[in-house]
Amino acid sequence: MMLFLLLLLGLLWLFQVAFFGKIYKAVRIAEIKSSATDLCDQIDASTVELQTLAIRTAKEKQVCVLIFDEFGNIISSEDALSDCSIHTMSARNIYTLYTTAKRDGGQKLSKFQLDAFRNLKPESLLTPQAPVKDQNDDNSAESIIYTKIVHSDNRGQDIVVMLNTTISPVASTVRTLQSELIIISVIMTLLAAFLSFLLARRISRPIEKISKSAGELALGVYDADFTAGGYREIAELSQTLSYAASELSKVEKLQRELIANISHDLRTPLTMITGYAEMMRDIPGENTAENVQVIIDEANRLSSLVNDVLDISRLQSGTQELDIGEFNITETVREVIGRFSKFSEQNGVSIEFSSDCEIIVRADRTRILQVIYNFIGNAVTHCGDDKTVLVKQTLIRYDNGSTKARIDVTDHGEGIPEELLPCIWERYYKLDKLHRRAASGSGLGLSIAKQILDLHNARYGVESRVGEGSTFWFEL
C-alpha cells in the first residue's frame, strides 16, 4: 500500500508540477486550432452568420478573432483580450503573418512574449528575426497567434482566419500546487502508514494463528484450533483446515482400529499353526492328516489376509491395472457360490442363486470375481438366524439404450443403520467396534470391492434396514 501511495504521489507531482506548463500550453493551442477550424468550416456562410460565430467563439474561448480577405477587407473583428496582439499590430505585420502562413501551406502558429512585443518596433514584429522566449522567464505571459487560410467558393477568394490568445504565466500556479501537494503528501503518507498497519495486523494475526495450529497438526495434534477471523478467504482457509484436521483424526482412529483388527487376525492363524505344529512334534500319534489340514487352512487364511492388505494398498495407490475382457458373469457367480458350498453346508448356511439369462460382460474377470466373493462372504458372515443368502442376477435396460448386468447379494441379518451406510465403504471403517473375526476371508472385503468397482466406473451401493438385513449390489 505504501508503494502504491508513493506511485500515486509521484504521478501527481509529475503531472501537476513538472508537466503542468506544457500540458496547459498544449490544451490552449489545441483549443485555438479547434476554434479556427470551426470558423473555417463556416467560411461560406453569410457575413452575419460568420460574425455571430466569431463573437460566440471569442467569448467562450477567450480569444481575439480577425477574419479578412486577401485584399485586406475585414469581415469580422472581435477583441476579447486586454492585450490583444492582432488588433494592435500594424497592417504590415499582419501581412507578414498572412504570407508566412501561405508559404507554410495555409496555416501558421506564432508564439512570442508580450513584454518583448511591447518593446519591438512594428516593422520587426513576428518576422523570423523576432526574439525567442526566455526559457527562464516563467512570469512573462506568452501570446499565441494562429493564422489559417481557406478558400471561399462563394466569395471566390482566400479568406484569412487569425486567432490570438494569451497563455498566462504558470510559475505562481505551480508554486501553489507544490505547496498543496506537500501538505497532501504528508497527510496521505501518515494515513497510508496507519491503514497499512491496521491491514497488516488484520491479515497477519489470523494467518499467524493458523500457521501455529498447522504446526501442531503436523505433530499429530488433531484437535488444534484453526478458528480465525479476518477476511472471508482466511475464514474459509481456517474452516478447510479444521475439516482436514477432523478427517485426519478420524483416519488416525480408524487406522488404529484396523491395525488392532489385523493384528488379531494375524495372531489367530499364527497361534493355531504354532500350536498344532508343536503338538504334532511333542505328542506321539498327533501327526495326523486332520492336524496337517488345520495348519494348511490357517496358513491359507493368513495368506488371504496378507493378500487383501496388499490389494488395498495397490488399489488405493493407483498402481493396480485392470485386465479388461469379456466373460460370462453368470458362470463367475456360480463359481464363487461353489467355493462357499462346503463352508455353508458345515454351518447350515444356504446360498440361493437366481438369474434370468446367461450374461456376458466386459470387465476384469479376476477383480470382479473378487468383488462377488467379498459380497457373498460378507453376507454369509451376517446372514442372520434364517441362515439364507440370496444372490440375484438381472438384466437391466435403461432408457438411454444402455444395458447393465446387475448382481444383488441379500442377507437377513441385523442390518445397518441408515446414518452409517455412507461410512461402510470408507477406508479403515468397521461397523461393529467389537472385533468379530469374519467366518471366511479377512473382513476387508468392502474396502477392496469399492476400489475395484471405482476402477471399473461401475454403479454400486447398499440398501439396508435395521433388523431386516442388507442388499449389496453392483452393475456392469
Side-chain angles (χ1 to χ4, degrees):
M1 187 171 182
M2 293 299 296
L3 289 175
F4 173 75
L5 172 68
L6 293 176
L7 177 62
L8 181 61
L9 293 177
L11 290 174
L12 286 174
W13 278 87
L14 193 64
F15 285 98
Q16 294 295 319
V17 177
F19 296 149
F20 179 79
K22 294 181 180 179
I23 295 174
Y24 170 68
K25 185 183 296 185
V27 170
R28 290 297 291 164
I29 291 174
E31 286 182 350
I32 196 173
K33 287 185 176 181
S34 176
S35 300
T37 300
D38 293 341
L39 290 170
C40 291
D41 291 341
Q42 301 296 323
I43 206 65
D44 287 328
S46 63
T47 302
V48 175
E49 292 176 348
L50 190 58
Q51 288 176 346
T52 301
L53 179 59
I55 293 172
R56 186 169 68 248
T57 301
K59 290 182 178 180
E60 293 179 355
K61 304 297 183 180
Q62 287 297 300
V63 296
C64 292
V65 180
L66 181 61
I67 304 175
F68 57 93
D69 59 24
E70 58 184 272
F71 300 108
N73 299 315
I74 297 178
I75 300 175
S76 178
S77 177
E78 302 300 330
D79 186 0
L81 300 176
S82 58
D83 291 327
C84 178
S85 301
I86 57 178
H87 287 89
T88 57
M89 68 174 57
S90 64
R92 178 180 177 182
N93 291 328
I94 292 178
Y95 180 74
T96 301
L97 291 176
Y98 164 67
T99 55
T100 304
K102 194 170 185 178
R103 185 186 65 224
D104 292 344
Q107 58 182 352
K108 176 67 176 178
L109 182 68
S110 306
K111 306 177 187 178
F112 57 92
Q113 298 300 112
L114 282 180
D115 53 355
F117 164 74
R118 297 188 185 97
N119 297 328
L120 287 175
K121 296 179 180 180
E123 291 76 10
S124 62
L125 183 62
L126 295 177
T127 61
Q129 291 79 25
V132 182
K133 174 187 174 183
D134 184 3
Q135 300 296 329
N136 297 323
D137 188 4
D138 294 331
N139 295 316
S140 179
E142 185 176 4
S143 183
I144 296 177
I145 298 177
Y146 182 64
T147 306
K148 190 167 185 178
I149 303 172
V150 62
H151 183 76
S152 174
D153 295 331
N154 292 343
R155 293 179 173 85
Q157 57 183 332
D158 290 340
I159 302 300
V160 182
V161 177
M162 190 175 293
L163 277 72
N164 175 223
T165 188
T166 301
I167 297 179
S168 303
V170 297
S172 58
T173 304
V174 170
R175 284 192 291 270
T176 302
L177 290 175
Q178 286 178 339
S179 301
E180 293 179 350
L181 284 175
I182 290 174
I183 297 175
I184 292 174
S185 299
V186 173
I187 294 175
M188 292 301 296
T189 301
L190 294 176
L191 181 61
F194 178 70
L195 290 177
S196 299
F197 176 76
L198 290 182
L199 288 174
R201 297 274 290 181
R202 182 175 175 82
I203 294 174
S204 63
R205 275 191 172 182
I207 294 178
E208 290 174 358
K209 183 178 180 181
I210 291 175
S211 178
K212 181 180 179 181
S213 300
E216 296 176 356
L217 178 62
L219 297 176
V221 182
Y222 297 110
D223 58 349
D225 182 18
F226 287 97
T227 304
Y231 294 100
R232 184 187 65 185
E233 292 80 1
I234 297 177
E236 291 177 352
L237 175 62
S238 65
Q239 293 174 3
T240 301
L241 289 174
S242 296
Y243 175 75
S246 175
E247 293 301 307
L248 286 173
S249 65
K250 293 179 182 178
V251 171
E252 179 73 13
K253 181 179 179 181
L254 295 174
Q255 195 170 15
R256 286 198 299 267
E257 292 178 0
L258 176 68
I259 292 174
N261 294 338
I262 291 179
S263 299
H264 179 275
D265 286 337
L266 288 172
R267 187 182 299 111
T268 301
L270 286 174
T271 301
M272 293 188 69
I273 291 172
T274 303
Y276 271 82
E278 290 178 349
M279 181 178 63
M280 293 168 62
R281 182 195 64 186
D282 298 336
I283 302 176
E286 290 297 329
N287 192 4
T288 63
E290 290 79 4
N291 291 340
V292 173
Q293 187 62 45
V294 170
I295 294 176
I296 293 174
D297 291 342
E298 293 301 321
N300 289 336
R301 186 185 297 275
L302 184 61
S303 176
S304 176
L305 176 62
V306 173
N307 288 335
D308 284 348
V309 173
L310 292 176
D311 284 341
I312 288 180
S313 177
R314 285 194 296 265
L315 290 168
Q316 292 179 349
S317 65
T319 58
Q320 180 66 54
E321 296 182 358
L322 299 179
D323 183 15
I324 303 296
E326 294 182 354
F327 64 93
N328 189 323
I329 193 171
T330 311
E331 293 181 358
T332 303
V333 174
R334 292 194 185 102
E335 178 183 337
V336 176
I337 293 176
R339 293 185 183 181
F340 279 93
S341 59
K342 181 180 179 181
F343 170 78
S344 60
E345 290 173 358
Q346 292 175 352
N347 293 274
V349 178
S350 173
I351 303 177
E352 301 177 5
F353 176 55
S354 63
S355 62
D356 48 5
C357 61
E358 300 288 320
I359 301 178
I360 304 298
V361 297
R362 181 172 178 81
D364 187 329
R365 184 181 184 280
T366 303
R367 295 302 170 186
I368 295 302
L369 187 147
Q370 196 173 3
V371 172
I372 300 171
Y373 188 87
N374 286 328
F375 276 13
I376 295 178
N378 185 67
V380 169
T381 303
H382 304 279
C383 62
D385 295 335
D386 65 349
K387 301 292 185 178
T388 301
V389 174
L390 303 178
V391 182
K392 183 180 179 181
Q393 172 197 280
T394 53
L395 188 65
I396 301 178
R397 301 184 186 275
Y398 287 95
D399 295 337
N400 60 6
S402 63
T403 305
K404 303 287 185 179
R406 177 175 173 125
I407 305 297
D408 295 87
V409 180
T410 303
D411 65 72
H412 302 98
E414 64 273 19
I416 305 171
E418 184 177 357
E419 65 273 11
L420 297 180
L421 288 177
C423 303
I424 62 175
W425 306 101
E426 292 182 2
R427 293 181 301 171
Y428 315 130
Y429 188 81
K430 191 171 182 63
L431 184 62
D432 51 347
K433 300 305 178 182
L434 295 175
H435 177 70
R436 178 174 62 179
R437 189 181 181 200
S440 178
S442 64
L444 304 176
L446 292 182
S447 297
I448 296 174
K450 176 184 183 301
Q451 298 293 332
I452 293 174
L453 293 172
D454 284 339
L455 285 177
H456 283 83
N457 295 318
R459 294 181 67 242
Y460 60 92
V462 58
E463 301 167 2
S464 183
R465 290 186 179 181
V466 176
E468 297 183 11
S470 307
T471 297
F472 287 83
W473 61 271
F474 68 92
E475 296 178 359
L476 290 175

